[in-house]
Amino acid sequence: MDLHGYFNSSTSFRVRIALALKGVSATSLPVNLREQAQRSAAHVGLNPSAGVPVLVDGDFVLTQSLAIIDYLDARHPVPRLIPEAGEARARVLELSLGVACDIHPVNNMRVLRYLQQVLGVSDAQKQAWYQHWVAEGLEATEQLLARHGHGPYCFGEQPTLADCCLVPQVANAQRMGCAMHAFPRIAAIHAHCMAQPAFQAAAPANQPDFVA
Amino acid sequence: MDLHGYFNSSTSFRVRIALALKGVSATSLPVNLREQAQRSAAHVGLNPSAGVPVLVDGDFVLTQSLAIIDYLDARHPVPRLIPEAGEARARVLELSLGVACDIHPVNNMRVLRYLQQVLGVSDAQKQAWYQHWVAEGLEATEQLLARHGHGPYCFGEQPTLADCCLVPQVANAQRMGCAMHAFPRIAAIHAHCMAQPAFQAAAPANQPDFVA
């Protein structure tokens, strides 16, 4: 199995966490987003969305990190990352989709590039944009955790898809200088996760294509 | 069951389609996004993300349109909108998440408002932004359909979550004046869906809060 990804792509990071938690190995094939390698003919041939991650399992090619993790959860169900049913399932999907649909996309690299290259915003405006959406999104996530979460992971004693989504979002936020003190539940979950070997193995700094 | 939504919110439209296809009735409770009603204390108390849709089923409150449809699919499995397993499931999730994560969020009303009110972009720049992300996203969706789709719906003879996501995205694109001629597969699926009673019943123009 091959995973086309990039060390500091948070969507790639999500899938790497899932693979590591399940103990499934995949060959990591770096796609250098800073050099726009995702727009190469070879990569667009693989993924018409010109993005990462892409999972290649034999002749089966799958894009979209949450679809990939759902696929891995069916093929390698130990540990299960998306609860099979009931309120537990709904809560995990709700929090995960909050990160995946409400926070991450607006601060994606292609969006930041458009802001700078087409709309000509300044570095300070770009930074304010980034921090605005992170703060708004993590505030909502913190509230959801206050209502439904129960640690040390987002939902209990075992990691789920929610942790696979939240941890990379926090890593991005920290890299962009966002203050985390207003989000004590998120910070505690992040710290707990990053003390676990699977999350460490999946971290950007431990990928073969990492550049400081 | 209550559905808090807004007539031309495409994420609310997704859930309305799912409810209509399943023949499940829900009381529609309008949240006027143009008047920022989603930021009222009452609504934020319900949904800390200050968004729609929100499903309220007894004392169970759920946000995120895809989590809501997944919940409805378990409670009211006829017709099933997310295939239970295998490649069919992966393809439906892949296309749905492409719309939900890559296309819709960047053109959300709150994002367009920030562009205008904080960054001071012109109407023409806002329109170009909108059309840029729609064109890029629908191009990728069209390619995915060329590879894996088989009509008259996105994936076969029955509607799925993919159609629940794609049709509202096309409605938004048309409202914003995006050209659809480059996406013949998407246009044909949209036309087929909108000829069906469930999709018609869910359409913005047929909601009680509709304003032209």
Side-chain angles (χ1 to χ4, degrees), chain B residues 66-149:
Chain B
L66 271 58
I68 293 171
I69 296 175
D70 183 272
Y71 171 81
L72 292 171
D73 228 25
R75 303 262 298 191
H76 306 279
V78 180
R80 182 103 197 172
L81 297 178
I82 308 171
E84 289 197 70
E87 175 159 358
R89 177 178 178 85
R91 291 293 163 227
V92 165
L93 290 178
E94 177 182 52
L95 195 141
S96 303
L97 289 161
V99 173
C101 300
D102 290 351
I103 309 180
H104 171 73
V106 188
N107 283 339
N108 208 334
M109 203 181 287
R110 67 196 172 107
V111 173
L112 302 179
R113 196 174 270 137
Y114 189 104
L115 284 172
Q116 293 201 286
Q117 297 182 352
V118 180
L119 294 178
V121 308
S122 67
D123 283 346
Q125 284 174 315
K126 185 184 86 166
Q127 185 81 356
W129 165 282
Y130 197 102
Q131 295 183 351
H132 173 80
W133 301 116
V134 165
E136 190 173 274
L138 292 186
E139 173 62 28
T141 304
E142 182 80 10
Q143 293 295 323
L144 281 179
L145 288 168
R147 285 181 199 187
H148 309 299

Side-chain angles (χ1 to χ4, degrees), chain A residues 19-203:
Chain A
L19 287 165
L21 286 168
K22 291 172 179 298
V24 174
S25 67
T27 304
S28 183
L29 299 175
V31 180
N32 192 323
L33 301 188
R34 285 187 191 152
E35 294 177 358
Q36 298 268 64
Q38 78 279 16
R39 301 205 176 269
S40 70
H43 189 74
V44 174
L46 199 61
N47 178 8
S49 296
V52 288
V54 183
L55 187 79
V56 180
D57 189 3
D59 58 1
F60 179 69
V61 178
L62 186 62
T63 70
Q64 293 295 334
S65 59
L66 270 58
I68 293 170
I69 296 174
D70 182 272
Y71 171 81
L72 292 171
D73 227 25
R75 303 262 298 190
H76 307 279
V78 181
R80 181 103 197 174
L81 297 177
I82 309 173
E84 290 194 69
E87 175 159 359
R89 178 178 178 84
R91 292 294 163 226
V92 165
L93 290 178
E94 177 182 52
L95 195 141
S96 303
L97 289 161
V99 173
C101 299
D102 290 351
I103 310 180
H104 171 72
V106 188
N107 283 339
N108 208 333
M109 202 182 289
R110 66 196 173 107
V111 173
L112 302 178
R113 195 174 271 136
Y114 189 104
L115 285 172
Q116 293 202 283
Q117 296 183 353
V118 179
L119 295 178
V121 309
S122 68
D123 283 346
Q125 285 174 314
K126 185 184 85 166
Q127 186 79 359
W129 165 283
Y130 196 101
Q131 295 183 350
H132 173 81
W133 301 116
V134 165
E136 189 173 275
L138 291 186
E139 173 62 29
T141 304
E142 183 79 9
Q143 293 295 325
L144 281 179
L145 288 168
R147 287 181 197 188
H148 309 297
H150 43 102
Y153 292 100
C154 287
F155 298 104
E157 301 291 328
Q158 301 298 328
T160 66
L161 176 64
D163 304 285
C164 297
C165 291
L166 185 57
V167 164
Q169 184 60 60
V170 172
N172 271 10
Q174 290 177 326
R175 199 174 73 232
M176 295 295 281
C178 302
M180 295 299 297
H181 60 266
F183 315 116
R185 288 177 183 81
I186 293 171
I189 291 164
H190 177 258
H192 177 74
C193 288
M194 289 311 299
Q196 313 304 318
F199 286 82
Q200 288 168 4

